[in-house]
Amino acid sequence: MVQVRVSEGLLEGEVVHNEYGGTLYSSFKGIPFAQPPLGDLRFKAPQPPKPWDGVREAKEFGPKCIQYDSFIKAGLLGSEDCLYLNVYTPKVNPDKPLPVMFWVHGGAFMTGGSNDDLYGPEFLLRKGVVVVTINYRLEILGFLSLDTKDVPGNAGMKDQVAALRWVNKNIANFGGDPNNITIFGESAGGASISYLLISPMTKGLFKRAIPQSGAALSDWSQTVRPRERALAVARKLGCYSEDDKELYEFFKNQPIESLTNAAAPISLAEANKKGLEIYFSITDEKKFGNNERFFYGNVVDVVSNGIHEGVDIMTGFTSDEGLIWIEKETLNERLDMIRNFPDMLVTKQLSFNLSVHQQIELGKKIRKFYFNDGVRIPEDWEQLVKYYSMNTFIFPTMKFAKLCAGAKKNKLYLYRFSCKSERNLVAHFTGLTELIGSKPVTAHADDLLYLFNAKLLNTKVDMKSYTFQLIDKVTTLWTNFAKFGNPTPDNSLGVTWAPFTLEKEEYLDIGNELVPGVKADHEEVQLWEKIDKLFGSPTQIVTADEI
């Protein structure tokens, strides 16, 4: 038993034995960082938590935010009352305050949570840091925008800010250093971290940031036509009004089951795309009175000029990110669609800005680059993975790194993650074992199991094993960065990881060996840079020969 006083009252956690290293740590679960977002608070920015009398037990996780889990086919789970976080600390009263690592989970802004089923803290705690994991509202509840004062959007991101503010205010009582907070997250969590780096609501709340496999420049991280999406869902649920007040009342009074997994496409191209589509994410907020806006403006301009000055950044991607978009059941159909309709290869943001002629011309050039003279079914699945990896994760990360390096206000480290062991399980979880065969891959999210002790695996890693050496290496890099702003402050890992510059484009390949390199995936990045440059003006007609 261990007690800590926070601004709302007294918390009672528990002392836990860390099976990785044998030390003890203190665990505090299910701490409310905001009021339950129920009733009139649905879709609103989070409100400060209410104080309690006596001792509040912090030994059980709060519920995950309500979601329809299509990844592990778990169906509907969680609760609308879900704004809770967890704090794990090696020492409540250390000799000097400990660095804090604040984790934002991924899951396409649709699924996920802060519990130790995926995000057990033991590997990181070995390295002497405080670990915080948080929940935030998902999908429609977290990201609906009517472009009105009542529903301006970004409620889920404001949840993250509220959790970060709570941590700044209270973490010293857990032994953490509020002046040394590193925010980190993966996938939608990585995009979230990228946005937290530029949000006017977060200045001064953290010292360092690690966006993993997600960037503010990923087209899936920003909602296209948010109000149109809201209207499409309303129509799907039987409401055909376009009146602001009527729409708000309709959404506010819907049973929660109706709003979960209720997204609707707003274009024929979206409707025809097979596989996971992210319909609700971050919105360019309009100004309403004194409302705090999480994000507004053109994201490229803001990243170019508005990353919080002096914050150290470490960002990167896995070597086979795009496997996450492959579904065995629809693979052949998807390849056939690309063979017949090259505009399927045009990204969502571009498809809304380009003419049909431009989309076909651009699609042909992309198809030629990845599939040469023809799409072979199903043999070209690996080329499809390369395409998805680049346009969905790698190019947005590279563009983010280059804009950041160009502004020269932040030190940035770039990585490519390619570790391979029995902990690379994502391709198998998603049913692709037969497809990939014996080929070793590092899929989207495969980096997580080298950072976190996922309890759902129900296995203990032998600390004398080669796999644990990889875990130790990865957690050393991450916690070194959190402690010192430099992942290789000495030669203990046998490598020096140089910061990224525009001149050399330095990066570290974090594989079974640590290998420094320059110009990651250069040929592909050049193609996408050319596309980005040529199609910067939506009115410009470009022929295939120009690309």
Side-chain angles (χ1 to χ4, degrees):
M1 182 186 83
V2 57
Q3 293 187 342
V4 162
R5 183 166 292 282
V6 296
S7 43
E8 293 76 40
L10 199 59
L11 286 170
E12 185 169 290
E14 52 191 345
V15 177
V16 182
H17 175 263
N18 188 347
E19 59 184 340
Y20 295 99
T23 55
L24 299 176
Y25 68 91
S26 297
S27 163
F28 299 84
K29 300 172 181 172
I31 306 169
F33 64 83
Q35 289 177 41
L38 308 174
D40 287 341
L41 295 184
R42 183 186 272 186
F43 308 122
K44 301 288 192 188
Q47 298 302 301
K50 292 183 174 173
W52 57 80
D53 295 322
V55 179
R56 179 187 174 102
E57 287 227 334
K59 298 173 185 175
E60 301 287 336
F61 290 112
K64 293 182 178 182
C65 290
I66 194 155
Q67 58 194 266
Y68 185 86
D69 194 325
S70 56
F71 287 108
I72 58 171
K73 316 293 188 230
L76 192 67
L77 56 90
S79 167
E80 209 171 341
D81 173 7
C82 64
L83 298 184
Y84 300 94
L85 57 75
N86 315 299
V87 178
Y88 310 99
T89 178
K91 277 190 175 179
V92 171
N93 296 302
D95 295 334
K96 67 178 214 173
L98 301 169
V100 179
M101 298 191 74
F102 176 99
W103 175 254
V104 179
H105 70 78
F109 299 108
M110 290 188 277
T111 66
S114 62
N115 301 3
D116 65 4
D117 52 355
L118 275 179
Y119 305 118
E122 288 84 357
F123 299 158
L124 292 166
L125 289 172
R126 291 177 65 244
K127 303 293 182 179
V129 296
V130 176
V131 178
V132 179
T133 64
I134 69 162
N135 287 345
Y136 56 96
R137 281 171 283 178
L138 302 167
E139 209 187 36
I140 290 178
L141 291 173
F143 296 94
L144 182 75
S145 171
L146 297 177
D147 279 340
T148 62
K149 185 177 180 179
D150 285 322
V151 192
N154 296 334
M157 299 308 298
K158 291 167 188 170
D159 294 342
Q160 295 180 22
V161 176
L164 199 45
R165 287 173 173 170
W166 189 95
V167 167
N168 270 264
K169 193 174 178 182
N170 292 288
I171 204 66
N173 298 336
F174 297 88
D177 184 353
N179 298 311
N180 189 8
I181 295 173
T182 297
I183 58 173
F184 69 135
E186 184 271 344
S187 194
S192 295
I193 298 303
S194 194
Y195 271 98
L196 291 169
L197 272 163
I198 55 177
S199 171
M201 294 178 69
T202 60
K203 200 168 276 190
L205 292 181
F206 54 89
K207 190 171 185 177
R208 303 188 174 101
I210 312 176
Q212 302 173 215
S213 301
L217 302 171
S218 302
D219 71 357
W220 49 264
S221 73
Q222 190 166 27
T223 305
V224 175
R225 309 281 201 276
R227 186 176 168 85
E228 285 301 316
R229 296 208 176 278
L231 292 172
V233 174
R235 289 192 297 270
K236 187 176 176 181
L237 297 175
C239 172
Y240 292 86
S241 173
E242 294 194 13
D243 177 80
D244 290 346
K245 290 292 178 193
E246 286 179 27
L247 279 167
Y248 175 51
E249 289 300 320
F250 175 78
F251 278 114
K252 191 171 72 169
N253 293 304
Q254 281 296 297
I256 191 61
E257 295 77 14
S258 299
L259 293 180
T260 309
N261 203 31
I266 60 172
S267 73
L268 191 59
E270 274 189 356
N272 284 332
K273 283 193 174 175
K274 304 293 180 185
L276 177 69
E277 280 292 304
I278 298 175
Y279 295 116
F280 288 95
S281 50
I282 294 150
T283 303
D284 174 6
E285 277 184 72
K286 291 185 167 53
K287 180 74 174 164
F288 299 104
N290 293 321
N291 278 16
E292 277 191 295
R293 289 189 285 176
F294 174 77
F295 174 79
Y296 55 90
N298 176 285
V299 68
V300 175
D301 291 343
V302 178
V303 169
S304 300
N305 304 302
I307 294 175
H308 299 330
E309 193 165 352
V311 175
D312 300 323
I313 302 167
M314 185 171 114
T315 190
F317 47 86
T318 70
S319 54
D320 303 289
E321 294 274 15
L323 271 167
I324 197 73
W325 296 110
I326 301 292
E327 289 180 331
K328 192 181 169 193
E329 297 76 18
T330 61
L331 173 62
N332 289 357
E333 184 183 356
R334 205 179 305 185
L335 285 167
D336 189 52
M337 290 280 280
I338 290 166
R339 185 155 65 183
N340 293 309
F341 305 105
D343 53 309
M344 287 288 291
L345 294 168
V346 175
T347 62
K348 185 191 291 186
Q349 293 281 12
L350 283 174
S351 71
F352 280 98
N353 292 330
L354 300 181
S355 68
V356 173
H357 170 72
Q358 285 175 305
Q359 290 182 53
I360 292 170
E361 291 297 300
L362 175 56
K364 281 181 180 176
K365 195 66 178 183
I366 297 170
R367 186 176 63 187
K368 172 83 172 163
F369 182 90
Y370 283 97
F371 300 98
N372 208 356
D373 295 320
V375 182
R376 297 171 304 152
I377 302 171
E379 294 89 342
D380 274 340
W381 68 268
E382 288 182 78
Q383 290 304 109
L384 188 61
V385 169
K386 282 185 74 173
Y387 159 77
Y388 282 133
S389 296
M390 182 55 58
N391 91 49
T392 312
F393 300 105
I394 299 174
F395 179 64
T397 298
M398 293 298 296
K399 186 175 177 181
F400 179 88
K402 289 184 178 186
L403 289 175
C404 183
K408 295 186 175 171
K409 296 192 299 183
N410 308 82
K411 183 171 59 171
L412 182 140
Y413 294 90
L414 179 71
Y415 68 81
R416 177 179 183 270
F417 193 95
S418 60
C419 270
K420 293 176 178 66
S421 76
E422 72 279 6
R423 290 184 80 76
N424 294 36
L425 290 170
V426 171
H428 304 294
F429 275 146
T430 50
L432 298 176
T433 307
E434 191 181 328
L435 180 70
I436 63 174
S438 59
K439 179 181 171 62
V441 294
T442 309
H444 183 70
D446 270 336
D447 48 342
L448 296 180
L449 294 182
Y450 296 89
L451 290 167
F452 293 102
N453 178 30
K455 303 296 194 297
L456 63 74
L457 297 183
N458 203 24
T459 56
K460 185 174 189 295
V461 187
D462 182 350
M463 289 184 71
K464 295 191 175 91
S465 68
Y466 176 68
T467 299
F468 196 81
Q469 288 177 32
L470 296 177
I471 290 168
D472 191 60
K473 198 184 298 184
V474 173
T475 52
T476 297
L477 289 169
W478 260 245
T479 55
N480 274 349
F481 179 75
K483 293 171 185 176
F484 312 114
N486 181 348
T488 55
D490 53 38
N491 62 5
S492 60
L493 292 172
V495 69
T496 298
W497 184 351
F500 181 91
T501 62
L502 287 178
E503 295 72 36
K504 292 186 179 176
E505 299 181 28
E506 298 92 334
Y507 74 98
L508 184 70
D509 192 295
I510 303 172
N512 295 44
E513 303 293 330
L514 301 178
V515 181
V518 296
K519 297 188 183 299
D521 297 300
H522 186 56
E523 189 184 354
E524 278 187 87
V525 170
Q526 279 188 309
L527 170 77
W528 287 94
E529 284 181 336
K530 199 167 183 185
I531 291 168
D532 200 40
K533 188 176 178 185
L534 279 170
F535 288 94
S537 167
T539 58
Q540 184 180 356
I541 298 293
V542 178
T543 68
D545 292 338
E546 290 178 80
I547 301 167

